[in-house]
Amino acid sequence: MTHQTMGEATRDAVTVRGHDLTGDLIGRIGFTDMVLLELTGTLHDDAAKTVLDAVLVALTEHGLTPTAVVARLTDLGAPGAMQSAVAAGLLGAGDRFLGALDGCARLLQEWPDDVDDTEHAATLVARMRADGRRVPGLGHPTHTDGDPRTPALYRVADAAGQATTARDRLEMVRAEVERTTGRSLPVNVDGAAAVLLTELGLPWQVCRGVALVARSAGLVGHLLDEQRRPTAAAIWASAEQTAPYQPPDVPK
């Protein structure tokens, strides 16, 4: 990864990673190219762009998830403050929603090269289970029979000629989890995205950020939809009706 200045502006020019913004980038590259430039310092070939673009598309929208619901509810309380609503939605990106991507990428990127992969997968799973931790990138509360986004992302990776080392290792982890728990836990979209981003060479520390870039666009779409077809008030009313507040028992 190169280390040019991220960006700088003078009176009549803007430079990004050594490239003139108006002369070299605007109208010449797409937003996905720009994301890669920001994260790696270089412009990449079409294969890398296609893979990252597929990940961004896959992570942009997934219906009324908690992140989308909280963004809509924040808009109800602070209408017109789109930045607050989007920020509220992004703050919900944790280990269960969007945030599992970096955990899975870290698992794959810290995998030693001088070990038996099957044995290492077994050791990882045993350690995480002993610590009471979930293995990131596996299972989904909605797509219990398999996340349809996973094979779609893998098809893009295959067409782009991407290596499968990270994919094969995650598959070993998945098989070990299923063997030890007796549960079917297919690779979900976070796991598949972690595989693709790892093979792209992006460090695990920025992988959650890639998910946030994608979901930001989705949340803006939800907020526009909220303005046209309001749902937040109904969500609030439904919550009060179906899950009424129960005060705690106070000892007398």
Side-chain angles (χ1 to χ4, degrees):
M1 185 179 294
T2 56
H3 297 279
Q4 308 102 323
T5 301
M6 289 292 299
E8 54 187 349
T10 62
R11 183 169 181 171
D12 58 357
V14 178
T15 303
V16 179
R17 294 285 202 174
H19 297 272
D20 178 64
L21 179 66
T22 58
D24 301 333
L25 304 178
I26 294 176
R28 296 178 180 271
I29 68 169
F31 182 64
T32 304
D33 297 290
M34 192 67 174
V35 173
L36 280 167
L37 179 61
E38 282 283 282
L39 297 181
T40 69
T42 60
L43 292 170
H44 288 253
D45 59 21
D46 287 343
K49 179 178 68 174
T50 298
V51 169
L52 179 58
D53 199 53
V55 171
L56 291 169
V57 170
L59 297 174
T60 297
E61 177 59 47
H62 200 253
L64 280 176
T65 60
T67 56
V69 169
V70 75
R72 287 174 179 261
L73 289 172
T74 301
D75 183 71
L76 178 67
M82 180 174 285
Q83 72 281 2
S84 301
V86 171
L90 295 181
L91 289 172
D95 292 342
R96 293 192 177 183
F97 301 99
L98 296 178
L101 202 164
D102 60 352
C104 187
R106 182 175 187 177
L107 179 153
L108 295 171
Q109 292 176 23
E110 293 182 348
W111 195 291
D113 290 326
D114 57 349
V115 297
D116 179 278
D117 285 344
T118 302
E119 291 180 2
H120 184 67
T123 300
L124 272 176
V125 172
R127 184 188 308 146
M128 296 183 78
R129 293 193 68 200
D131 293 341
R133 291 182 290 156
R134 297 160 54 108
V135 177
L138 302 180
H140 196 281
T142 302
H143 307 300
T144 54
D145 295 325
D147 193 324
R149 296 167 292 183
T150 296
L153 286 174
Y154 285 168
R155 286 194 295 270
V156 172
D158 289 340
Q162 193 175 67
T164 63
T165 302
R167 187 192 315 184
D168 296 339
R169 288 172 172 173
L170 183 56
E171 177 61 23
M172 293 176 192
V173 172
R174 182 205 61 76
E176 179 63 17
V177 170
E178 293 193 354
R179 186 189 71 80
T180 56
T181 66
R183 298 175 57 200
S184 176
L185 293 169
V187 175
N188 59 34
V189 71
D190 285 339
V195 165
L196 270 62
L197 297 181
T198 293
E199 296 292 2
L200 275 182
L202 294 183
W204 67 264
Q205 292 92 338
V206 305
C207 287
R208 185 180 301 194
V210 171
L212 297 181
V213 169
R215 192 53 59 91
S216 294
L219 292 176
V220 171
H222 272 274
L223 294 171
L224 178 60
D225 186 64
E226 181 66 24
Q227 295 172 18
R228 295 171 173 173
R229 299 186 303 167
T231 62
I235 292 172
W236 178 18
S238 177
E240 286 194 317
Q241 184 176 20
T242 59
Y245 174 72
Q246 298 292 334
D249 292 331
V250 179
K252 296 181 180 179

